[in-house]
Amino acid sequence: MTRVAIIGAGLMGEDHASIIARDLPGATLQVVCDMDMGRAKAVASAFGAKDASTDPEAVIARSDVDAVIVASPDFTHAPLSRVCITAGKPVLCEKPLSQSSAECLEVMQSEQATGRQFVMLGFMRRYDQSYVEMRAALTDGSLGRALMMHNFHRNVETPAADFTGAMAITNSAPHEFDIVRHVLKTEFTSVTAQQPRRSDDRVAPVVMVLETRDGQLVTIEVNNNAAYGYDVRAELVGEAGSVAMNTVAYTRTERKLASSTRYDADWRGRYHEAYVRQNRDFLRFVETGTFPAIASSSWDGYAAAMVAEAGARALASGQRQTINMMEQPAFYAGVRGVAA
Ligand code: ISE
């Protein structure tokens, strides 16, 4: 039985606590940690954790904790992942690993120095069935060569009043940066970013056009103030056809001469199954020491951060920015992870 600690008991921490406690019988929720003890205790008691704490480093060091899920604020992700690496504990870290590619590199360096992978990154869309099928259509050749991938990422409203267009690129779009790299099995080489004008002072959508090193074009619209619902769409276009994601809804209501489906208010429902699959794979990683074939690693965190940095520069300057990624270290290629 893998004993898991969750650091950060906000929206995502609570969601992970629920998945560990209710959906994954092979794991025990050992500790819930949050800077607010009241919050830590509330989530711990709601999901039957043994303990609550406010001290993340002490939690990571505990001998009754085998693995850690980091769901605290973004700026803590990289430092806490490094504490886990030093302690020799596998960590599932929420995205982004860091908004700074330099800090991602530091995590990669700490990890490489130990000789094995410890960090799995929570880019859960890799486990979503629609993207699994898009990737398969390229792998099995049925779609021919990939030409384009179009992506729409819409939230009802921004999570905070000080959310900016740059944050749409550094906080929301990394999901697209990661999933497109994963589906197309390539890297981005350039990005342009623009925004239409809204009639009010809310953050307007950001529209990016990216090129890959294999000559594909990728469009990404991030609209953090879409108002109507949480809505993610994608279409992969190949030389022999296209694969588009269906809207995920279990029912459709017909009433008063109209037909309608519902949208979730945020991503937790839409991606519930993907989170469960991802967390199950994380537990397998903890047990076997073998890094899951489709999971995101620190390297993928670095790649997403490099694209995000270039995207933010593109938005600020209005100019196309090139993305100069380092070569992927052999450590992160091929059969990933070595049994502990
Ligand atoms: C948000 O930033 C996230 O982190 C969620 O995972 C994502 O699904 C959501 O749309 C983003 O805006």
Side-chain angles (χ1 to χ4, degrees):
M1 196 60 107
T2 300
R3 297 162 299 180
V4 178
I6 293 184
I7 298 179
L11 270 195
M12 278 319 301
E14 181 173 10
D15 211 41
H16 282 296
S18 162
I19 288 170
I20 295 294
R22 293 180 176 157
D23 298 306
L24 298 173
T28 310
L29 187 56
Q30 197 72 7
V31 193
V32 175
C33 177
D34 196 275
M35 56 192 283
D36 172 353
M37 189 52 150
R39 179 75 192 153
K41 281 187 171 161
V43 173
S45 102
F47 299 103
K50 306 257 177 317
D51 217 347
S53 168
T54 55
D55 183 345
E57 301 205 9
V59 166
I60 293 167
R62 281 170 66 140
S63 59
D64 63 351
V65 166
D66 305 311
V68 180
I69 296 180
V70 170
S72 41
D74 288 5
F75 72 91
T76 66
H77 291 178
L80 289 176
S81 293
R82 290 181 75 187
V83 175
C84 291
I85 292 168
T86 308
K89 308 252 168 110
V91 53
L92 172 61
C93 180
E94 265 303 329
K95 46 65 55 180
L97 181 55
S98 167
Q99 290 185 357
S100 145
S101 57
E103 198 178 30
C104 293
L105 272 178
E106 287 171 12
V107 176
M108 286 166 59
Q109 278 153 6
S110 312
E111 198 172 36
Q112 290 178 68
T114 70
R116 60 155 286 186
Q117 286 184 258
F118 284 99
V119 184
M120 184 168 150
L121 200 56
F123 279 127
M124 78 298 176
R125 290 195 192 178
R126 291 179 177 218
Y127 291 88
D128 181 70
Q129 189 60 24
S130 42
Y131 291 112
V132 167
E133 290 178 16
M134 281 185 196
R135 192 167 191 254
L138 286 182
T139 310
D140 69 20
S142 56
L143 216 57
R145 187 179 172 279
L147 293 172
M148 295 177 286
M149 192 160 161
H150 303 293
N151 305 271
F152 299 82
H153 181 161
R154 297 178 182 161
N155 292 107
V156 176
E157 59 185 3
T158 51
D162 57 357
F163 203 88
T164 61
M167 286 160 80
I169 298 174
T170 57
N171 184 279
S172 300
H175 278 296
E176 274 75 23
F177 301 152
D178 183 72
I179 198 64
V180 172
R181 290 178 60 247
H182 178 68
V183 169
L184 298 181
K185 298 186 191 154
T186 189
E187 298 296 351
F188 290 112
T189 52
S190 79
V191 55
T192 59
Q194 285 180 281
Q195 290 180 287
R197 187 152 33 87
R198 279 188 67 113
S199 62
D200 54 23
D201 60 1
R202 287 167 184 248
V203 176
V206 173
V207 179
M208 285 171 269
V209 179
L210 302 101
E211 292 171 286
T212 73
R213 78 174 167 211
D214 296 305
Q216 292 127 345
L217 282 184
V218 174
T219 60
I220 302 175
E221 173 209 296
V222 179
N223 184 357
N224 294 101
N225 281 307
Y228 66 90
Y230 184 73
D231 189 12
V232 169
R233 307 178 194 182
E235 181 178 9
L236 169 63
V237 183
E239 289 180 356
S242 100
V243 181
M245 182 185 291
N246 276 332
T247 302
V248 179
Y250 290 104
T251 55
R252 188 187 63 245
T253 302
E254 323 286 352
R255 254 183 97 243
K256 295 190 175 172
L257 307 179
S259 173
S260 63
T261 51
R262 283 182 54 80
Y263 282 105
D264 283 318
D266 69 40
W267 58 91
R268 288 168 296 170
R270 165 66 182 84
Y271 286 112
H272 177 72
E273 191 53 38
Y275 280 113
V276 172
R277 288 177 172 189
Q278 167 193 265
N279 291 13
R280 188 180 296 125
D281 233 13
F282 175 60
L283 295 179
R284 217 172 279 138
F285 170 42
V286 177
E287 281 157 25
T288 63
T290 302
F291 196 81
I294 69 166
S296 282
S297 65
S298 315
W299 159 254
D300 298 302
Y302 160 82
M306 283 293 290
V307 183
E309 285 171 347
R313 287 198 307 273
L315 185 66
S317 65
Q319 304 292 317
R320 174 176 170 276
Q321 299 291 313
T322 52
I323 302 163
N324 297 309
M325 296 253 309
M326 66 185 278
E327 277 306 308
Q328 181 177 11
F331 182 83
Y332 292 102
V335 179
R336 305 191 294 165
V338 184

